[in-house]
Amino acid sequence: MKTADKLIQEFEKVFSGQPWYGPSIYEILDRVTFDSAYEKPSPAAHNAAEIILHMLSWTEEVMDRLNGMTAGTPSSGDWPEPGAPDEQKWKLWISDLKLANANLIRTIRDLPEEQWDELIDDRRGEEPVTTHAELVYSFIQHQIYHAGQIAILVKIVNG
């Protein structure tokens, strides 16, 4: 099986399939109501809206890196500010995340097999240390982590 096929299989399992750890990311997001999206159980915690924007920013950054751009902080920021609660924005962010993920899957599918073991263009440190394949696996882990945060927030806020 080609690297892209393995990555896409793992990606789809985690986002919309039946991952080993529990509900998929999209199942978790379906449990977030607009009313709970902006709730913070603690001033130090992020709310679901902030986490969704963070996840979306990093989806776009990973896509940029796979498309040959130099690694950096996402162009929309690491933790974009969601602003005042807005139900239309909330729905749009969920749609945007799903669209960005679909675009990322296409980017993964189109990357030539020989590039998966090449290092990404990362000039922030002394030497690049992450391959294209490691980047995608790490991204999937990142998204699982934040989906777990959202799942906990939903339980806290909704009881």
Side-chain angles (χ1 to χ4, degrees):
M1 183 182 283
K2 292 183 178 180
T3 303
D5 295 332
K6 290 178 193 174
L7 291 166
I8 291 169
Q9 183 178 39
E10 186 67 19
F11 189 103
E12 289 177 338
K13 178 173 51 174
V14 164
F15 278 87
S16 59
Q18 296 180 330
W20 177 85
Y21 62 81
S24 71
I25 291 174
Y26 292 153
E27 284 180 71
I28 292 169
L29 295 180
D30 285 344
R31 297 176 187 170
V32 181
T33 64
F34 166 69
D35 293 333
S36 66
Y38 290 84
E39 292 290 323
K40 285 190 176 193
S42 161
H46 289 289
N47 61 31
E50 292 169 331
I51 296 170
I52 289 297
L53 288 176
H54 175 75
M55 292 171 74
L56 178 58
S57 291
W58 280 98
T59 304
E60 293 166 347
E61 174 64 19
V62 167
M63 204 169 354
D64 287 347
R65 292 178 189 190
L66 290 175
N67 283 318
M69 294 179 70
T70 302
T73 303
S75 59
S76 56
D78 188 15
W79 287 97
E81 176 59 44
D86 181 323
E87 190 166 5
Q88 290 309 109
K89 279 190 203 175
W90 171 250
K91 290 177 181 178
L92 183 62
W93 295 332
I94 298 297
S95 295
D96 286 350
L97 181 64
K98 290 179 179 181
L99 178 60
N101 285 332
N103 290 334
L104 180 55
I105 286 173
R106 278 192 289 281
T107 301
I108 291 168
R109 187 176 290 118
D110 292 344
L111 195 76
E113 182 66 28
E114 62 274 7
Q115 287 186 356
W116 285 111
D117 290 328
E118 291 178 8
L119 298 174
I120 62 166
D121 187 6
D122 188 348
R123 298 179 192 147
R124 295 171 298 169
E126 291 184 27
E127 291 184 34
V129 294
T130 303
T131 67
H132 289 85
E134 290 168 336
L135 172 67
V136 175
Y137 281 119
S138 297
F139 167 76
I140 292 169
Q141 292 168 7
H142 175 266
Q143 302 301 68
I144 292 168
Y145 170 79
H146 288 301
Q149 288 179 309
I150 292 172
I152 291 168
L153 285 170
V154 167
K155 285 187 180 220
I156 291 170
V157 172
N158 295 342

